mmCIF file with all atom_site columns, all heavy atoms in Angstrom:
data_model
loop_
_atom_site.group_PDB
_atom_site.id
_atom_site.type_symbol
_atom_site.label_atom_id
_atom_site.label_alt_id
_atom_site.label_comp_id
_atom_site.label_asym_id
_atom_site.label_entity_id
_atom_site.label_seq_id
_atom_site.pdbx_PDB_ins_code
_atom_site.Cartn_x
_atom_site.Cartn_y
_atom_site.Cartn_z
_atom_site.occupancy
_atom_site.B_iso_or_equiv
_atom_site.pdbx_formal_charge
_atom_site.auth_seq_id
_atom_site.auth_comp_id
_atom_site.auth_asym_id
_atom_site.auth_atom_id
_atom_site.pdbx_PDB_model_num
ATOM 1  N N   . THR A 1 5  ? 26.671 75.017 -11.693 1.00 43.00 ? 203 THR A N   1
ATOM 2  C CA  . THR A 1 5  ? 27.135 73.872 -12.411 1.00 43.00 ? 203 THR A CA  1
ATOM 3  C C   . THR A 1 5  ? 27.847 72.860 -11.354 1.00 43.00 ? 203 THR A C   1
ATOM 4  O O   . THR A 1 5  ? 28.561 71.990 -11.767 1.00 43.00 ? 203 THR A O   1
ATOM 5  C CB  . THR A 1 5  ? 28.131 74.193 -13.489 1.00 43.00 ? 203 THR A CB  1
ATOM 6  O OG1 . THR A 1 5  ? 29.208 74.916 -12.999 1.00 43.00 ? 203 THR A OG1 1
ATOM 7  C CG2 . THR A 1 5  ? 27.419 74.990 -14.598 1.00 43.00 ? 203 THR A CG2 1
ATOM 8  N N   . LYS A 1 12 ? 31.223 63.440 -22.854 1.00 98.00 ? 210 LYS A N   1
ATOM 9  C CA  . LYS A 1 12 ? 31.628 63.467 -24.267 1.00 98.00 ? 210 LYS A CA  1
ATOM 10 C C   . LYS A 1 12 ? 31.545 62.057 -24.777 1.00 98.00 ? 210 LYS A C   1
ATOM 11 O O   . LYS A 1 12 ? 32.232 61.142 -24.370 1.00 98.00 ? 210 LYS A O   1
ATOM 12 C CB  . LYS A 1 12 ? 33.045 63.990 -24.279 1.00 98.00 ? 210 LYS A CB  1
ATOM 13 C CG  . LYS A 1 12 ? 33.226 65.401 -23.783 1.00 98.00 ? 210 LYS A CG  1
ATOM 14 C CD  . LYS A 1 12 ? 34.637 65.817 -23.643 1.00 98.00 ? 210 LYS A CD  1
ATOM 15 C CE  . LYS A 1 12 ? 35.184 66.266 -24.979 1.00 98.00 ? 210 LYS A CE  1
ATOM 16 N NZ  . LYS A 1 12 ? 36.525 66.813 -24.877 1.00 98.00 ? 210 LYS A NZ  1
ATOM 17 N N   . LYS A 1 21 ? 28.831 63.886 -29.893 1.00 97.00 ? 219 LYS A N   1
ATOM 18 C CA  . LYS A 1 21 ? 27.860 64.647 -29.177 1.00 97.00 ? 219 LYS A CA  1
ATOM 19 C C   . LYS A 1 21 ? 28.300 64.790 -27.746 1.00 97.00 ? 219 LYS A C   1
ATOM 20 O O   . LYS A 1 21 ? 29.090 63.969 -27.220 1.00 97.00 ? 219 LYS A O   1
ATOM 21 C CB  . LYS A 1 21 ? 26.462 63.971 -29.235 1.00 97.00 ? 219 LYS A CB  1
ATOM 22 C CG  . LYS A 1 21 ? 25.968 63.855 -30.648 1.00 97.00 ? 219 LYS A CG  1
ATOM 23 C CD  . LYS A 1 21 ? 24.509 63.753 -30.660 1.00 97.00 ? 219 LYS A CD  1
ATOM 24 C CE  . LYS A 1 21 ? 23.934 63.540 -32.086 1.00 97.00 ? 219 LYS A CE  1
ATOM 25 N NZ  . LYS A 1 21 ? 24.091 64.682 -32.909 1.00 97.00 ? 219 LYS A NZ  1
ATOM 26 N N   . ALA A 1 26 ? 24.379 64.875 -14.384 1.00 96.00 ? 224 ALA A N   1
ATOM 27 C CA  . ALA A 1 26 ? 24.640 65.137 -12.920 1.00 96.00 ? 224 ALA A CA  1
ATOM 28 C C   . ALA A 1 26 ? 25.641 64.087 -12.454 1.00 96.00 ? 224 ALA A C   1
ATOM 29 O O   . ALA A 1 26 ? 25.631 62.952 -12.905 1.00 96.00 ? 224 ALA A O   1
ATOM 30 C CB  . ALA A 1 26 ? 23.357 65.113 -12.165 1.00 96.00 ? 224 ALA A CB  1
ATOM 31 N N   . ALA A 1 35 ? 29.242 55.939 -13.784 1.00 96.00 ? 233 ALA A N   1
ATOM 32 C CA  . ALA A 1 35 ? 29.958 54.881 -14.487 1.00 96.00 ? 233 ALA A CA  1
ATOM 33 C C   . ALA A 1 35 ? 29.292 54.485 -15.778 1.00 96.00 ? 233 ALA A C   1
ATOM 34 O O   . ALA A 1 35 ? 29.980 54.051 -16.714 1.00 96.00 ? 233 ALA A O   1
ATOM 35 C CB  . ALA A 1 35 ? 30.050 53.690 -13.532 1.00 96.00 ? 233 ALA A CB  1
ATOM 36 N N   . SER A 1 43 ? 12.685 55.959 -31.912 1.00 91.00 ? 241 SER A N   1
ATOM 37 C CA  . SER A 1 43 ? 11.872 54.729 -32.003 1.00 91.00 ? 241 SER A CA  1
ATOM 38 C C   . SER A 1 43 ? 12.067 53.764 -30.844 1.00 91.00 ? 241 SER A C   1
ATOM 39 O O   . SER A 1 43 ? 12.190 52.561 -31.087 1.00 91.00 ? 241 SER A O   1
ATOM 40 C CB  . SER A 1 43 ? 12.167 54.038 -33.345 1.00 91.00 ? 241 SER A CB  1
ATOM 41 O OG  . SER A 1 43 ? 11.954 54.863 -34.398 1.00 91.00 ? 241 SER A OG  1
ATOM 42 N N   . ARG A 1 71 ? 32.318 55.709 -23.718 1.00 98.00 ? 269 ARG A N   1
ATOM 43 C CA  . ARG A 1 71 ? 32.397 54.819 -24.836 1.00 98.00 ? 269 ARG A CA  1
ATOM 44 C C   . ARG A 1 71 ? 31.121 54.042 -24.945 1.00 98.00 ? 269 ARG A C   1
ATOM 45 O O   . ARG A 1 71 ? 30.477 53.645 -24.007 1.00 98.00 ? 269 ARG A O   1
ATOM 46 C CB  . ARG A 1 71 ? 33.518 53.871 -24.688 1.00 98.00 ? 269 ARG A CB  1
ATOM 47 C CG  . ARG A 1 71 ? 34.877 54.587 -24.557 1.00 98.00 ? 269 ARG A CG  1
ATOM 48 C CD  . ARG A 1 71 ? 36.089 53.637 -24.730 1.00 98.00 ? 269 ARG A CD  1
ATOM 49 N NE  . ARG A 1 71 ? 36.145 53.120 -26.080 1.00 98.00 ? 269 ARG A NE  1
ATOM 50 C CZ  . ARG A 1 71 ? 36.783 53.719 -27.105 1.00 98.00 ? 269 ARG A CZ  1
ATOM 51 N NH1 . ARG A 1 71 ? 37.279 54.906 -26.888 1.00 98.00 ? 269 ARG A NH1 1
ATOM 52 N NH2 . ARG A 1 71 ? 36.819 53.194 -28.283 1.00 98.00 ? 269 ARG A NH2 1
ATOM 53 N N   . GLU A 1 74 ? 26.149 49.363 -25.898 1.00 97.00 ? 272 GLU A N   1
ATOM 54 C CA  . GLU A 1 74 ? 25.079 48.613 -26.582 1.00 97.00 ? 272 GLU A CA  1
ATOM 55 C C   . GLU A 1 74 ? 23.889 49.493 -26.825 1.00 97.00 ? 272 GLU A C   1
ATOM 56 O O   . GLU A 1 74 ? 23.705 50.556 -26.209 1.00 97.00 ? 272 GLU A O   1
ATOM 57 C CB  . GLU A 1 74 ? 24.679 47.399 -25.820 1.00 97.00 ? 272 GLU A CB  1
ATOM 58 C CG  . GLU A 1 74 ? 23.993 47.754 -24.449 1.00 97.00 ? 272 GLU A CG  1
ATOM 59 C CD  . GLU A 1 74 ? 23.628 46.511 -23.674 1.00 97.00 ? 272 GLU A CD  1
ATOM 60 O OE1 . GLU A 1 74 ? 23.313 45.480 -24.324 1.00 97.00 ? 272 GLU A OE1 1
ATOM 61 O OE2 . GLU A 1 74 ? 23.541 46.568 -22.420 1.00 97.00 ? 272 GLU A OE2 1
#
Side-chain angles (χ1 to χ4, degrees):
T203 59
K210 299 170 82 173
K219 299 202 183 294
S241 304
R269 299 193 69 84
E272 65 181 332

